[in-house]
Amino acid sequence: MANDLKGKVETEIEIKAPPQKFYHMFRKTAHHVPRAAGDHIQGVDVHEGDWESHGSVKVWKYTVEGKQKWFKEKVELDDENNMVTLVGLEGDVFKHYRSFKPVYHVVPKGEGSLAKLSIEYEKLDANVPPPNKYLNMMVNITKDIDSHFQNA
């Protein structure tokens, strides 16, 4: 029964930015994400650690489906694979999920990149839908960051 509550939603989108440039936004300059994706991310603050260290804890303020929410995460950084994992610790998603782990993984593709976006999760109960609205938000954030780079 408990395994029915665990899942993963994922998608891929092509972006123009090279993998390292996109990864760097989360790796070293996460405080610029609200400027690049302001429709979705209103703010981010370091709670423990700093902007650049593996294991640092950040609190994000975001909007999904017109509602303002917050998410506290511990970042896992994989420099070799240009992959950022946000391990959920606290926040609004935990009203519906026992665990929540968004992943941004960017790989080279042609002149740009392929952004592989996913969320590993465990629902609190069987009535909770998969977190597709959060995956859609990740897609929109990724597109906004890519546009920000093109317009910079």
Side-chain angles (χ1 to χ4, degrees):
M1 177 72 183
N3 286 346
D4 294 344
L5 299 176
K6 290 184 179 180
K8 182 177 183 178
V9 292
E10 53 194 329
T11 192
E12 297 179 346
I13 63 165
E14 290 185 34
I15 58 175
K16 292 184 174 86
Q20 296 79 8
K21 187 172 186 177
F22 186 88
Y23 174 69
H24 185 268
M25 178 67 104
F26 283 96
R27 173 72 174 91
K28 295 193 181 277
T29 59
H31 52 284
H32 291 306
V33 174
R35 190 175 330 139
D39 289 348
H40 311 286
I41 304 293
Q42 285 71 55
V44 58
D45 294 302
V46 173
H47 188 72
E48 293 173 23
D50 57 38
W51 291 111
E52 300 183 19
S53 299
H54 181 85
S56 288
V57 175
K58 296 181 193 74
V59 177
W60 297 82
K61 293 183 180 100
Y62 65 94
T63 300
V64 65
E65 296 184 337
K67 296 185 178 117
Q68 289 202 321
K69 310 270 186 181
W70 69 281
F71 181 66
K72 183 178 185 179
E73 52 83 6
K74 184 175 192 171
V75 69
E76 293 179 353
L77 302 163
D78 181 343
D79 293 341
E80 192 173 321
N81 294 302
N82 295 310
M83 187 162 61
V84 177
T85 303
L86 308 177
V87 180
L89 301 175
E90 293 177 53
D92 290 300
V93 295
F94 292 101
K95 293 174 185 170
H96 305 287
Y97 301 96
R98 183 170 285 114
S99 65
F100 197 85
K101 192 160 53 167
V103 178
Y104 291 85
H105 181 198
V106 191
V107 298
K109 180 166 185 183
E111 298 284 311
S113 307
L114 185 66
K116 299 178 177 187
L117 311 173
S118 63
I119 302 172
E120 295 174 31
Y121 63 91
E122 183 178 355
K123 302 187 276 187
L124 287 176
D125 64 62
N127 298 321
V128 173
N132 292 321
K133 66 182 178 183
Y134 296 100
L135 188 65
N136 291 338
M137 183 179 74
M138 290 173 69
V139 167
N140 290 328
I141 289 167
T142 300
K143 288 177 179 176
D144 286 355
I145 289 172
D146 195 43
S147 293
H148 175 77
F149 289 146
Q150 304 315 310
N151 297 328

